[in-house]
Amino acid sequence: MSGLNTEIWEKELRLLLDQLQAHPSRDATVERQRIAVLKNLIATRGKIDA
C-alpha cells in the first residue's frame, strides 16, 4: 500500500513542479508548502519501510 501512496505523491509532486515552471510569476506559496510536505513524505517513506 505504501508503494501506491508513494506513486501518488510523486505524481502530485511532478504536477505541482510543472505548474510552478509553467507560471513562475504567480504566487505559489501554498504549492511550495505542499511540495515540501510531499518531498518529506517521499523521503521518509523509504526509512519507515526499511
Side-chain angles (χ1 to χ4, degrees):
M1 180 76 172
S2 64
L4 179 61
N5 286 343
T6 303
E7 288 179 31
I8 293 168
W9 296 332
E10 289 172 345
K11 287 179 184 179
E12 182 182 355
L13 177 59
R14 173 56 31 213
L15 178 67
L16 290 169
L17 291 172
D18 289 346
Q19 287 177 2
L20 287 179
Q21 188 174 14
H23 306 284
S25 61
R26 172 174 92 77
D27 180 17
T29 303
V30 173
E31 288 84 353
R32 291 181 191 282
Q33 290 172 344
R34 182 63 181 162
I35 287 169
V37 168
L38 288 168
K39 285 183 175 183
N40 187 38
L41 286 170
I42 293 166
T44 59
R45 188 211 66 80
K47 294 178 185 173
I48 293 169
D49 287 346

